[in-house]
Amino acid sequence: MEYLRPSSVKEIVGQERAIKAILSKLASPYPQHIILYGPPGVGKTTTARLAFEIAKMLKSTPFYEESPFVEVDGTTLRWDPREITNPLLGSVHDPIYQGSKRDFAESGIPEPKLGLVTKAHGGILFIDEIGEMDPILQNKLLKVLEDKRVEFSSSYYDPDDENVPEYIKKLFDEGAPADFVLIGATTKSPEEINPALRSRCAEVYFEPLSKKDIQNIVLNAAKKLKIKMDAEVPEIISQYTIEGRKAVNILADAYGYALYNRRGKRPYITKDDVLEVINLAKLVPYYKTYAKEEGEIGKVFGLAVSGFLGSILEIEAVAFEKEDGSVRFNDTAGTMAKDSVFNAASVIRRLTGLDISNYDIHVNIIGGGNVDGPSAGAAITVAILSAITGKKVRQDTAITGEISLLGEIKPVGGVNEKIHGAIQAGMKKVIIPKENIDEVYKDYEIEIIPVSTIDEVLDVILWEAV
C-alpha cells in the first residue's frame, strides 16, 4: 500500500479543488491551521503530506527544507489527567512517577518530557481523526495554539537547587517552543467538531469519489504495479467501493491471487480474478442503479445526505377513494418529513381542487429510513399527486427541495452530495431549488434543473404536465 500511495499531487484523483485550497492556505507567509473534512479513503492524509512538500519549496512560506511533518492519530492519543504522561503536549515526570528510567529520581528533580507539539515546531502537526480526540485534550491543544509554547510546572521543582540541569531550568522558566501549523483530518461533519477548534482553523472539504475517479485510481495503481488486466476490471471495482484506498486494496488482492494461481507466468488480472476476490471478501455493490426509462405511478426518487455522501430515497404513495380518508406515513420518519406530507396535501388541493380527505393515502419511504429535515417535501408532493391523478412520474429524475404551503421550492443543504448520489444511482436529471444553484461547484455529468415552484417540478417530472 505504501508503494501504491500517490507520490505527487497529480496522482491524487478527484480532489483538485481541495488541493488548491490547502496549497493556498499553506503558501502564505502566515499559513493557517486547517481542518480537512471528507469521507474515508479519498486522500486527505496524502494530500496534506504532498502539499507540505510543495509549500516547503515556496519562498513565500515560513517553512524550510528540514521543517518537520509530525503525524499522529487522534484515536490513539493517550494522556493522563495527572499529567504523568501526555505524548502530544509533553509532561513532567516527577520523581515519584519517573518509572524505570530514574535519572533524576534519587536527587528529587522533576524531568520535563517534550511532546509532539514541540517536535512539530516550525512545521506541521497532522492529527488524523481529530474529531475523536478527548475533549479535554483538545482544549489543552487550543491553549498551545494560542501561546505557541508549552509550559511545564511541578511541585517538586526548586529553581534554587544547584543540582537541577540548566536545560530543565530553561524548560520550567520559559517553556518549550511549539509554533506549528495544525492540520486535522476527520470523517465527521463540521457540527460534530469542537467549535473553538473550528474557529481557529480554515476548513477544506474533500469530495466523494465518483465511479470514474475510482476507475482512474485503479488504472494508476495498475501502471505502478506494471501489470495488465481485462478492460472490465476498473469498472467492476468501481461498483464495490467509493474509497480510493479500498479500490487499491481490491486490485492488490486480485494481483496476489493472479500471482498465486499462475506461478511462473507474467501476472495478468482477469475479471474472474477480481470477482473471485470480491466474492471471498463478501463485498456487495456500493451503489444500486435505480433509474429506469419507463414512468411509474406514485413512485418518486428523492435525495438524502448521510455524512459526506448523497443517496437515493425511494418514495412511493398509493391513494384509494374513501369518505373521511386518512394519511399514513412511516412511523420512523422524522417529524419534519411528516409535516411535509401535510404541506403536500395543501399544495395538491390548491393545484387540482381535489380534497385529499376523500382519499386513503399511504406514503412510504422504502427501507423505512428516518428523513431528517424537510428536503424530501417536493418529492413527497409529486408522489401523492401522481397517486391521486394516476399520472406517471419519470424514473430517470431525482428531486430535492422543501415545499412551502404556497408551492414554492425552498433551498436545502448538501446539494452537491445529493447531485453526486443521483449520478451514482444512474439518474439522467436532478431537480434542485433555484436558490441552491450557486452552490453547485463543478460541471457534473448530469442535467441539473433549478426550479422555484412545484409547477416547474411537475413540468419536468410528469409525463404530462398537470
Side-chain angles (χ1 to χ4, degrees), residues 105-157:
E106 300 304 327
S107 53
I109 299 173
E111 183 182 10
K113 296 287 185 181
L114 301 180
L116 296 175
V117 292
T118 300
K119 290 184 179 179
H121 179 68
I124 298 285
L125 175 63
F126 180 86
I127 303 180
D128 200 8
E129 297 300 343
I130 194 168
E132 303 294 338
M133 279 177 61
D134 183 281
I136 298 176
L137 187 56
Q138 286 190 32
N139 289 332
K140 290 177 177 289
L141 177 62
L142 291 174
K143 174 69 172 159
V144 174
L145 290 177
E146 289 182 359
D147 297 344
K148 300 187 186 302
R149 63 180 49 252
V150 180
E151 296 179 354
F152 297 100
S153 63
S154 171
S155 57
Y156 290 89
Y157 173 58

Side-chain angles (χ1 to χ4, degrees), residues 16-26 34 203-205:
E16 291 77 11
R17 295 175 71 252
I19 292 169
K20 289 179 181 177
I22 294 173
L23 282 172
S24 67
K25 290 165 179 55
L26 294 180
I34 308 170
E203 296 179 310
V204 175
Y205 294 85

Side-chain angles (χ1 to χ4, degrees), residues 163-449:
N163 295 319
V164 178
E166 285 299 319
Y167 80 91
I168 289 183
K169 286 185 177 180
K170 188 175 182 66
L171 286 173
F172 276 114
D173 294 345
E174 301 177 15
D179 189 1
F180 57 88
V181 172
L182 173 68
I183 300 181
T186 181
T187 55
K188 291 191 171 187
S189 60
E191 296 77 23
E192 298 175 273
I193 303 301
N194 185 328
L197 185 63
R198 288 186 64 194
S199 70
R200 289 165 173 80
C201 300
E203 296 179 310
V204 175
Y205 294 85
F206 279 65
E207 302 166 27
L209 297 174
S210 66
K211 285 185 178 179
K212 184 173 287 186
D213 291 333
I214 295 294
Q215 291 167 24
N216 287 334
I217 288 170
V218 171
L219 290 170
N220 291 341
K223 286 180 184 177
K224 283 196 170 184
L225 289 172
K226 298 178 181 177
I227 55 174
K228 293 184 178 181
M229 57 188 176
D230 286 346
E232 300 95 331
V233 167
E235 166 63 26
I236 293 171
I237 293 177
S238 71
Q239 295 174 16
Y240 287 85
T241 183
I242 58 165
E243 296 182 30
R245 185 188 303 116
K246 184 67 175 177
V248 172
N249 282 340
I250 294 172
L251 180 68
D253 284 349
Y255 176 54
Y257 184 81
L259 280 173
Y260 176 76
N261 286 331
R262 291 183 282 278
R263 281 167 282 188
K265 296 181 180 179
R266 186 176 179 182
Y268 180 92
I269 298 177
T270 67
K271 65 178 182 180
D272 291 333
D273 294 331
V274 175
L275 291 172
E276 182 65 19
V277 165
I278 288 170
N279 184 44
L280 289 170
K282 295 185 178 180
L283 301 178
V284 295
Y286 203 92
Y287 283 107
K288 176 183 174 183
T289 299
Y290 291 89
K292 293 188 293 186
E293 291 295 330
E294 65 275 11
E296 286 192 31
I297 296 174
K299 186 173 181 181
V300 180
F301 293 117
L303 293 165
V305 176
S306 177
F308 297 96
L309 302 174
S311 60
I312 287 288
L313 290 175
E314 289 184 89
I315 301 172
E316 57 184 8
V318 290
F320 305 97
E321 289 192 42
K322 180 188 176 184
E323 290 185 13
D324 299 322
S326 62
V327 178
R328 176 176 169 78
F329 193 41
N330 294 61
D331 289 336
T332 56
T335 56
M336 295 184 77
K338 291 180 180 179
D339 289 341
S340 295
V341 174
F342 299 110
N343 288 354
S346 298
V347 171
I348 290 169
R349 187 169 185 175
R350 183 180 65 83
L351 281 174
T352 64
L354 297 172
D355 186 350
I356 70 166
S357 65
N358 295 324
Y359 296 87
D360 259 345
I361 297 172
H362 188 178
V363 181
N364 177 51
I365 296 179
I366 296 177
N370 186 322
V371 182
D372 182 18
S375 63
I380 290 170
T381 303
V382 172
I384 296 175
L385 182 64
S386 171
I388 291 175
T389 62
K391 293 185 178 293
K392 290 185 176 182
V393 178
R394 297 182 66 97
Q395 299 296 290
D396 61 356
T397 304
I399 318 172
T400 185
E402 179 182 355
I403 186 80
S404 77
L405 285 174
L406 299 178
E408 297 175 346
I409 305 300
K410 297 297 184 180
V412 294
V415 67
N416 287 287
E417 289 82 0
K418 290 175 179 178
I419 293 171
H420 181 266
I423 294 170
Q424 297 288 29
M427 298 294 161
K428 294 180 180 178
K429 301 178 182 179
V430 60
I431 299 172
I432 68 170
K434 193 169 186 177
E435 291 180 53
N436 284 124
I437 192 65
D438 291 337
E439 299 172 31
V440 179
Y441 50 63
K442 69 178 184 180
D443 294 329
Y444 290 100
E445 295 178 351
I446 190 172
E447 184 181 352
I448 299 172
I449 303 173

